[in-house]
Amino acid sequence: MFPFVPFSLNRFRLTPVRVLPACALIGALLGAGSAAAANTSHDFNQLPEIGTAAASTLSIEKEMEYGDAYMRMLRASMPVISDPLLSEYIQDLGHRLVANASDVRTPFNFILIQNRDINAFAFFGGHVAIHSGLFLHARNESELASVMAHEIAHVTQRHLARSMEEQAKNSPATLAALIGSMMLAIAAPEAGIAAIHATTAASAQGQINYTRSNEKEADRIGIATLAKSGFDVQAMPRFFGRLADQYRYASKPPAMLLTHPLPESRITDSRSRAAQYAPHKVGTSARYQLARSRIIARYANLESDAALDWFDRELKKNDPTRRDALNYGKALVYIDAGQYQKAHALLDPLLAKDPTNRFYIDSATDLDLHQKHYDKAINRLKSALKSYPNQNVLNLNLANALQEANRNSESISILTRYTYDNPDDPNGWHLLAQAQAAVGRRDAELAARAELLALRGAWEKAIQMYIQASQIVEVNSLDQARYDARIDQLRLARQRFSNL
């Protein structure tokens, strides 16, 4: 269901935010100063000084602080997909791999970015970003998992911190600029190359790429993680080999190949590693196929006719393991095109066949809300929650359905608990702001919107909204005390980021 800005829970169409200059974002979030993330006056020279070449490798605590800062930057600058179903899927898949990985020293967080380019990247603090374009090229879940396992290995082996320290030995005077440009480079390689050119005379290629030994180590450890997690280990050399063949002579290779080059020696090595494991047949993941169909229907920037044509062509291949997921994707296209009867014809049999499937429940709720069948949607979701209590996707759907039915007080009750349990999910705060506005609670609306701003590193604006909220409520009331306490917390967070 939904993107972040503008917000429409029952459609979840992502409208990319305006991308601010990378130098401004990194300077604002990682550098000194108290301006919000939108301040464009900062540059790489204002990035934090973390020591000289004599310093030891970054501490885990410091890596997590940098990761938190960069995560806020991504929310402010990139089209992060906030669709709860897809977020739940990618988190579950990622944590299945992490549970079987070695040397895990940080929590992990997995996000999706709406971008058709083939790319994935990891950064400080256990954050792994996956481009939606990977779903268009990965033919099965094991291939997607192989990319994620590789990125997880980069984190557990601390390749970014080690690479950054190695570069600092060669040019310690530029370390503050280097950390920002390196973090930019893994997410946006072309911009990263330009940034590094501006801050050091060393080779750009040598600066942004992980070393060949890093890549082989991530492949080796990633394959071991795949095996322990029950995936097909051959998926890694197969997927990487296909990418190398496809883009061997391309004038503009995908971003992933800029930061993760695929020489023949690396592919050969990964094949050799995978061959050491006994053959393991992995069945089709219905959940992966549903997530893939959802991305193609809603996040591939395809017009309705083009998306329907793609699903029809795939259905003609007559693969019974994919038929339900493909029909689900078609139903989404029909819902978004306002062709509700055609959507019902495809979705109703799927829901009857698998009534507890959250992908189907979510879309059936979409249909109900579009047709103003509010009670039907609410009852369906409450029934599902009896089987899956406190399930995030269902609770967000229910909160949205209650708002559509003008039952905002009930929605607020759900969302107050949800945002407490999931403070980093912008969906909960956005819905809560809408519900509070609908019941005339201006102070609570401002507080919820302040939390959205804080998630994007806009500290000053967040603080100002909380100050407004505090001024609205009764003097010396519990609400005022709560808002004032949050103002103090945000000021401390702003100071911490300034001192990174």
Side-chain angles (χ1 to χ4, degrees), residues 63-141:
E63 284 192 36
M64 292 181 67
E65 289 179 358
Y66 282 126
D68 182 44
Y70 196 65
M71 186 65 234
R72 293 175 197 271
M73 185 191 97
L74 286 185
R75 292 193 192 103
S77 64
M78 288 192 177
V80 176
I81 295 177
S82 295
D83 183 316
L85 279 168
L86 294 176
S87 296
E88 179 187 67
Y89 169 74
I90 205 71
Q91 290 283 357
D92 287 352
L93 177 58
H95 285 106
R96 174 180 169 185
L97 293 163
V98 170
N100 293 285
S102 303
D103 302 318
V104 176
R105 286 167 281 192
T106 66
F108 270 79
N109 176 48
F110 300 86
I111 61 170
L112 279 169
I113 295 174
Q114 187 181 9
N115 192 318
R116 289 175 64 93
D117 287 346
I118 305 168
N119 199 17
F121 56 92
F123 55 97
F124 293 129
H127 296 282
V128 177
I130 306 295
H131 279 202
S132 57
L134 273 173
F135 281 83
L136 308 180
H137 292 83
R139 294 176 180 173
N140 54 56
E141 189 172 49

Side-chain angles (χ1 to χ4, degrees), residues 479-495:
D479 283 333
Q480 188 176 63
R482 183 163 53 88
Y483 295 152
D484 289 347
R486 187 60 178 142
I487 290 168
D488 291 340
Q489 290 174 343
L490 290 173
R491 284 173 172 160
L492 286 173
R494 180 186 63 187
Q495 184 62 36

Side-chain angles (χ1 to χ4, degrees), residues 102-103 146 149-150 153 157 159 162 212-228 233 236 240 266 269-274 276-277:
S102 303
D103 302 318
S146 73
H150 177 96
Q157 302 310 300
H159 286 158
R162 285 157 54 186
R212 290 190 178 188
S213 62
N214 286 162
E215 288 299 291
K216 287 187 176 181
E217 184 176 49
D219 288 344
R220 173 178 59 82
I221 294 172
I223 286 173
T225 300
L226 282 177
K228 292 177 184 177
V233 294
M236 183 180 288
F240 288 169
R266 180 184 161 200
D269 185 71
S270 67
R271 285 176 180 151
S272 176
R273 297 279 183 189
Q276 296 175 14
Y277 293 85

Side-chain angles (χ1 to χ4, degrees), residues 86 172 304 402:
L86 294 176
S304 297
L402 288 166

Side-chain angles (χ1 to χ4, degrees), residues 25 44 47 51 54 88-89 112 122 143 160 172 178 247 249 266 274 306 317 409 476:
L25 282 165
F44 286 110
L47 288 165
E88 179 187 67
Y89 169 74
L112 279 169
E143 290 191 354
L160 184 58
L178 182 62
Y247 292 99
Y249 304 109
R266 180 184 161 200
K317 296 178 182 178
S409 294
N476 295 327

Side-chain angles (χ1 to χ4, degrees), residues 2 4 7 9 72 75 396 399 403 411-412 414-437 443-456 466 482-483 486 489:
F2 49 115
F4 178 33
F7 195 85
L9 187 67
R72 293 175 197 271
R75 292 193 192 103
L396 284 172
Q403 286 187 32
S411 180
I412 289 170
I414 293 170
L415 293 168
T416 300
R417 179 66 188 181
Y418 182 87
T419 52
Y420 179 84
D421 291 336
N422 304 276
D424 291 336
D425 184 357
N427 297 308
W429 292 114
H430 198 113
L431 276 176
L432 184 57
Q434 290 186 160
Q436 298 287 14
D443 61 302
E445 177 196 355
L446 286 166
R449 296 198 184 283
E451 295 299 335
L452 286 171
L453 289 165
L455 287 175
R456 301 173 68 185
Y466 263 114
R482 183 163 53 88
Y483 295 152
R486 187 60 178 142
Q489 290 174 343

Side-chain angles (χ1 to χ4, degrees), residues 247-300:
Y247 292 99
R248 190 176 307 277
Y249 304 109
S251 59
K252 186 180 179 182
M256 187 171 180
L257 298 190
L258 289 175
T259 52
H260 299 72
L262 285 169
E264 188 60 37
S265 61
R266 180 184 161 200
I267 296 172
T268 300
D269 185 71
S270 67
R271 285 176 180 151
S272 176
R273 297 279 183 189
Q276 296 175 14
Y277 293 85
H280 176 61
K281 184 175 177 58
V282 178
T284 300
S285 166
R287 200 172 173 210
Y288 168 78
Q289 295 298 341
L290 288 167
R292 188 170 189 247
S293 287
R294 191 174 182 88
I295 282 178
I296 291 166
R298 287 186 166 167
Y299 301 103

